[in-house]
Amino acid sequence: MFQRQSKITKTVALIALLAASQSHAGATLDHVQKSGVLRGVLLESYPPFSFLNSKNQLDGFDVDVAKAVAKKLGVKLKLDTPSWEVIAAGKWGSRWDICICSMTPNKERAQVLDFPVFYYNSPAVLIANVADKKTSSIKSLEGKKIAVQQGSSYESYLQKKLTIEAPNAVQPAYPFNKVVIAPYDNEELAFQDLALGAGKRVDAVISNLVTANERISKTGKFRIVGSPLYQEPNWVAVDKGDAQWNARVKQVITELKKDGTLSAISKKWIGSDITN
């Protein structure tokens, strides 16, 4: 009798689990289609990928890619700019559907987010104040303060625990012993502090090569130090557990690559194609 009840209990539990799984499957796509709105998240100050333009509107590479995805889906786009830590923490629930926001898959993020498709690649670089002639490599900054976006892959890199969870990814090397990590809520503030001069508030910043070049060309206050630290593949991120939504997102991005849309957006904002 006890054995039979145990089997029944297990069967009921399995049915409930399958039902819960099926109820979640496709829920995001269903919501996007019924509401006619794709809810995206990205950073407010990460030029040229996402930033506020002179009209106080979100603009940039990631913004245009998100717009192209929404157009392909036949819906409107609604963008939000929470903190990076909130985005990377996952468990978005009904708040957001997609993050086309220059995110590199790593071990921690892969536990709470799915990464259905790669969409561009750009190396991580070390940036110093242009007047700083002493900084020649990250090793030369032993014991000094390096600024990073809080919760970013750059922070994990300085902690020597970055594992890039992407197919065929080359894992980063760590040619330094110990540095002081200065996490910032906003990368704009990190560059403002570096502009004051080396050692004033920070000694360097780690960021994306394209973003670094954007700030160098606009201000003339920074320089890239040495070779790239590691290659940074960026993938579209979605909340974990909706296989149907993952497949649809992958299909849309693949179509945008094939028809030349992603390449055109890249050339518009970057000057070259970084989407391959």
Side-chain angles (χ1 to χ4, degrees), residues 8-272:
I8 292 173
T9 302
K10 288 180 180 179
T11 302
V12 170
L14 179 59
I15 292 172
L17 181 63
L18 289 172
S21 175
Q22 289 173 354
S23 66
H24 183 66
T28 307
L29 181 58
D30 185 59
H31 178 273
V32 169
Q33 291 175 333
K34 287 182 177 179
S35 67
V37 177
L38 177 68
R39 301 162 300 179
V41 285
L42 38 68
L43 294 175
E44 187 178 289
S45 183
Y46 195 57
F49 296 97
S50 54
F51 60 94
L52 291 174
N53 62 23
S54 59
K55 296 180 181 179
N56 205 38
Q57 297 173 333
L58 283 167
D59 212 348
F61 174 89
D62 281 344
V63 177
D64 279 0
V65 174
K67 287 178 179 178
V69 170
K71 183 178 180 180
K72 203 78 167 175
L73 291 169
V75 298
K76 295 180 180 179
L77 176 66
K78 180 180 179 182
L79 292 174
D80 195 8
T81 56
S83 71
W84 183 256
E85 281 192 304
V86 170
I87 295 173
K91 299 180 181 178
W92 301 341
S94 60
R95 291 176 293 173
W96 309 302
D97 307 310
I98 197 167
C99 165
I100 300 172
C101 59
S102 301
M103 186 178 287
T104 300
N106 63 26
K107 187 176 181 180
E108 291 76 22
R109 293 171 187 165
Q111 293 174 359
V112 293
L113 295 169
D114 284 334
F115 296 92
V117 63
F118 161 87
Y119 76 113
Y120 84 86
N121 192 35
S122 186
V125 293
L126 182 69
I127 305 111
N129 187 288
V130 72
D132 174 11
K133 305 302 181 184
K134 294 182 179 180
T135 299
S136 58
S137 67
I138 193 168
K139 186 171 178 59
S140 68
L141 291 171
E142 297 284 356
K144 294 192 176 182
K145 192 178 289 186
I146 301 178
V148 290
Q149 173 88 41
Q150 189 170 24
S152 67
S153 61
Y154 313 127
E155 184 175 23
S156 296
Y157 173 75
L158 291 181
Q159 294 167 342
K160 296 187 177 182
K161 64 176 188 180
L162 176 60
T163 301
I164 300 174
E165 296 289 331
N168 304 315
V170 177
Q171 299 306 323
Y174 302 102
F176 58 93
N177 291 320
K178 188 176 182 180
V179 296
V180 178
I181 303 170
Y184 279 73
D185 289 336
N186 188 313
E187 197 173 83
E188 179 70 26
L189 298 177
F191 276 96
Q192 287 177 10
D193 281 355
L194 182 61
L196 298 175
K200 297 291 185 180
R201 292 184 180 171
V202 297
D203 295 283
V205 173
I206 293 180
S207 187
N208 181 292
L209 173 62
V210 176
T211 300
N213 283 333
E214 176 83 2
R215 296 185 188 277
I216 288 169
S217 65
K218 283 190 174 181
T219 68
K221 294 182 177 181
F222 313 110
R223 68 181 179 88
I224 293 171
V225 179
S227 302
L229 301 172
Y230 59 92
Q231 288 296 322
E232 187 178 24
N234 291 274
W235 290 57
V236 177
V238 297
D239 217 1
K240 200 163 189 68
D242 192 333
Q244 188 175 343
W245 179 234
N246 287 358
R248 186 68 176 113
V249 169
K250 183 176 181 179
Q251 179 186 21
V252 168
I253 293 292
T254 300
E255 290 173 358
L256 292 173
K257 284 183 179 180
K258 286 183 177 179
D259 67 18
T261 300
L262 286 193
S263 178
I265 293 172
S266 180
K267 289 174 182 176
K268 170 186 173 182
W269 290 106
I270 314 301
S272 60

